[in-house]
Amino acid sequence: MSLTNRYDFVLLFDVKDGNPNGDPDAGNLPRLDAETGHGLVTDVCLKRKVRNFVGMAKGEQPPYEIYVKEKAILNNQHKRAYVGIDREDLLTGDDKKRKGGDAVDDARKWMCRNFFDVRTFGAVMSTGINCGQVRGPVQLTFARSVDPIIAQEHSITRMAVATEAEAEKQGGDNRTMGRKHTVPYGLYMAHGFVSSFLAKQTGFSDDDLELFWQALIQMFEHDRSAARGEMSTRGLYVFKHDSELGNAPAHSLFECIRVTRKEGIDVPRSFDDYEVMLQEAGLPVGVTLLNKAC
């Protein structure tokens, strides 16, 4: 079924002794707001985890295939769309693929039907073999830590080397030194939005939305690595509007969720050091708060 409601949501997750989202332009240090010291996790990072979860849970089968995935060649997926709509003739020649008329729109619809992340987050599919562009109904912000974080740097040792030349240089000691960056503890908050109008354009359904909520709750449970430490979803708070246009501005709803350090806690090191306050009594008429995770 198509969505008939607007949704806004707040995602709370934390990290302990890990790097939630390293910056490759800064030696893979945890991302930071340079002015405030608050930690950042990009929307792209969160979407990657959602994609990985859905691909794993649904076995990469239509209508839950994943368009943007590791080592994917996107134009090959575009070719599949033209084959799927019986317009292989547009795949030959230099310019024919750009003169398909309604074929581009049909290819776009085929991509939406088969790929979960296309109909959820949208995609630019107009490069190379043209399948058009899609504005996704689900959008996420960067996640920002509730308090400033610090990035710790650790020296690590591997008791092996990669080449014989390195071994000869070390006289048989065979050690490789490296660096690892971690955040001792950080609690992050991200905001998100779901548009029913865009959902109708992409075919994003109620079932897709429930799968998306499930992915946000469980995505860290299947994304473990030593580099990321312990990451967990700590809260998913969904504001459901009675109407498609919405009954209140998103920012006023997000302000109904307050996260503060408990009294006497100067340096938080666990989720128990925080208190989450939900101001449900002040919700506007026509908005319901759904607590999807604890």
Side-chain angles (χ1 to χ4, degrees):
M1 291 178 60
S2 298
L3 298 189
T4 57
N5 304 85
R6 194 186 104 191
Y7 295 86
D8 303 300
F9 62 91
V10 175
L11 173 68
L12 279 180
F13 63 91
D14 63 0
V15 59
K16 183 176 181 181
D17 296 326
N19 186 349
N21 185 202
D23 186 347
D25 290 330
N28 209 43
L29 281 165
R31 297 179 190 269
L32 284 172
D33 181 329
E35 292 185 314
T36 66
H38 287 81
L40 299 173
V41 173
T42 66
D43 62 308
V44 174
C45 175
L46 297 175
K47 290 175 182 177
R48 174 77 272 142
K49 297 181 190 306
V50 170
R51 287 181 168 104
N52 289 347
F53 177 85
V54 171
M56 176 197 68
K58 295 296 184 178
E60 284 279 357
Q61 296 298 314
Y64 299 105
E65 288 193 71
I66 300 301
Y67 174 64
V68 180
K69 58 185 177 182
E70 187 176 5
K71 298 181 181 179
I73 300 174
L74 301 182
N75 271 329
N76 287 348
Q77 308 290 28
H78 301 177
K79 290 179 183 178
R80 289 179 54 202
Y82 278 87
V83 172
I85 63 172
D86 295 324
R87 294 305 307 270
E88 298 98 319
D89 57 300
L90 298 177
L91 296 176
T92 59
D94 294 333
D95 297 318
K96 287 184 179 180
K97 61 178 175 291
R98 300 184 181 90
K99 298 178 181 178
D102 292 338
V104 172
D105 189 53
D106 291 340
R108 179 186 63 80
K109 292 176 181 178
W110 189 94
M111 296 293 290
C112 287
R113 285 195 303 271
N114 285 272
F115 293 95
F116 176 85
D117 54 338
V118 173
R119 65 176 179 272
T120 303
F121 303 126
V124 176
M125 303 176 291
S126 53
T127 57
I129 299 171
N130 188 2
C131 286
Q133 299 185 25
V134 176
R135 285 186 63 197
V138 178
Q139 300 299 327
L140 285 162
T141 67
F142 275 32
R144 178 178 290 269
S145 64
V146 175
D147 286 307
I149 63 169
I150 63 168
Q152 294 184 335
E153 185 176 14
H154 311 274
S155 296
I156 55 176
T157 305
R158 182 176 68 179
M159 306 303 293
V161 293
T163 66
E164 291 185 6
E166 289 178 280
E168 292 174 2
K169 186 176 180 180
Q170 293 188 26
D173 194 31
N174 292 16
R175 295 174 184 266
T176 304
M177 301 298 295
R179 291 285 188 270
K180 184 176 183 178
H181 303 285
T182 63
V183 175
Y185 183 79
L187 178 62
Y188 290 76
M189 177 185 290
H191 296 158
F193 317 88
V194 182
S195 166
S196 62
F197 294 102
L198 293 176
K200 288 181 174 63
Q201 295 178 23
T202 69
F204 185 79
S205 66
D206 284 321
D207 289 340
D208 289 330
L209 183 61
E210 287 303 316
L211 179 59
F212 177 68
W213 299 142
Q214 182 186 4
L216 291 181
I217 294 168
Q218 299 183 3
M219 59 187 179
F220 297 117
E221 303 302 323
H222 303 277
D223 188 55
R224 302 296 185 188
S225 79
R228 283 186 284 277
E230 295 182 57
M231 297 188 68
S232 305
T233 295
R234 293 296 187 170
L236 176 58
Y237 308 98
V238 179
F239 297 96
K240 181 179 180 180
H241 299 253
D242 283 350
S243 67
E244 289 190 89
L245 286 174
N247 301 82
H251 70 84
S252 66
L253 300 178
F254 297 150
E255 291 170 356
C256 293
I257 297 179
R258 302 278 183 169
V259 182
T260 57
R261 291 197 305 270
K262 292 180 178 178
E263 186 176 352
I265 301 296
D266 294 323
V267 182
R269 284 296 181 263
S270 74
F271 184 65
D272 290 335
D273 293 337
Y274 286 95
E275 183 176 3
V276 181
M277 294 174 287
L278 309 179
Q279 300 176 0
E280 295 184 67
L283 286 179
V285 176
V287 178
T288 304
L289 177 57
L290 309 174
N291 190 348
K292 292 285 188 177
C294 298

